[in-house]
Amino acid sequence: FSAAPARRLARLAADIIDITRLEAEMFKMNKERIDVWQPIRSACADLAPPANGKKLVIAQPSGDGSSPFVMADAQRIEQVVANLVRNALRFAREFIRVRVESANARVDIIVEDDGPGVDPADIPHLFEKFFRGRRQVGTKKDGTGLGLAIVKGIVEAHGGKVWVEGKPSIPTGRGSRFVVALPAV
């Protein structure tokens, strides 16, 4: 017996509950002032074993070493990062990078990969419930189409925005960049 199918089923059940609560505006959050790196490090540490040899890089705070702070539910921000990194793990060839940029009263959490990138025709629908991109349908990389809808719902419940950019300027020049923008405190 493998635990992997049971974990996938448990994650699916949790996703269905989360999307239902988000839509019904019954999604509970415990917002507090947090160091944005705490949920990022936690999500990436949990996903390091499934990376299966892919290089998962967590960029450390730069400059004076101080971390940006946000008013957020740490567990929900960890869930957002985990969903984005899990997606990157599906498509990345060798490289996933998670980093933070802070400016103009905004903190951006950025998840980049060197996979095939998002089909431009998919971008307007990418965060819709049950939408699966063209590069995903009919492959072993099938998903439920709930993860990015949940990401969007959680980010918007924090007063933030999320979007995707294709073909970022990472070392290979291909892939996707997902950006989660949250208000800084």
Side-chain angles (χ1 to χ4, degrees):
F1 173 74
S2 171
R7 281 192 302 273
R8 282 193 298 271
L9 186 57
R11 190 168 48 243
L12 174 61
D15 284 351
I16 290 170
I17 290 168
D18 285 346
I19 200 75
T20 303
R21 287 182 177 156
L22 280 164
E23 289 175 343
E25 296 180 10
M26 296 173 52
F27 198 72
K28 294 189 180 175
M29 291 193 298
N30 299 312
K31 291 183 183 178
E32 59 186 350
R33 186 174 188 265
I34 62 165
D35 173 341
V36 75
W37 283 102
Q38 180 266 321
I40 292 170
R41 286 186 185 112
S42 182
C44 291
D46 288 346
L47 292 168
N52 292 328
K54 292 178 183 171
K55 188 174 182 184
L56 175 57
V57 176
I58 306 169
Q60 297 300 313
S62 59
D64 63 3
S66 64
S67 293
F69 285 84
V70 293
M71 186 63 71
D73 182 318
Q75 288 182 317
R76 295 302 181 183
I77 298 304
E78 181 177 337
Q79 182 179 5
V80 164
V81 173
N83 278 351
L84 294 175
V85 171
R86 216 177 272 115
N87 281 351
L89 285 170
R90 283 188 187 141
F91 297 101
R93 292 180 179 139
E94 298 175 2
F95 186 89
I96 300 164
R97 180 170 58 183
V98 182
R99 60 190 177 91
V100 172
E101 292 180 0
S102 180
N104 301 325
R106 189 174 99 186
V107 175
D108 292 348
I109 301 169
I110 302 160
V111 179
E112 300 169 307
D113 68 69
D114 67 344
V118 176
D119 187 317
D122 290 344
I123 291 175
H125 307 287
L126 206 58
F127 296 95
E128 293 174 5
K129 183 172 64 171
F130 300 119
F131 180 79
R132 294 185 342 215
R134 286 170 177 69
R135 295 194 175 142
Q136 195 174 2
V137 175
T139 71
K140 65 178 180 163
K141 298 176 192 231
D142 281 343
T144 62
L146 292 175
L148 292 177
I150 291 168
V151 164
K152 180 181 180 200
I154 292 172
V155 170
E156 288 178 351
H158 281 87
K161 294 184 180 186
V162 60
W163 65 90
V164 65
E165 301 168 354
K167 308 294 182 201
S169 58
I170 58 175
T172 61
R174 61 181 181 261
S176 299
R177 174 186 292 137
F178 284 81
V179 181
V180 171
L182 298 170
V185 293

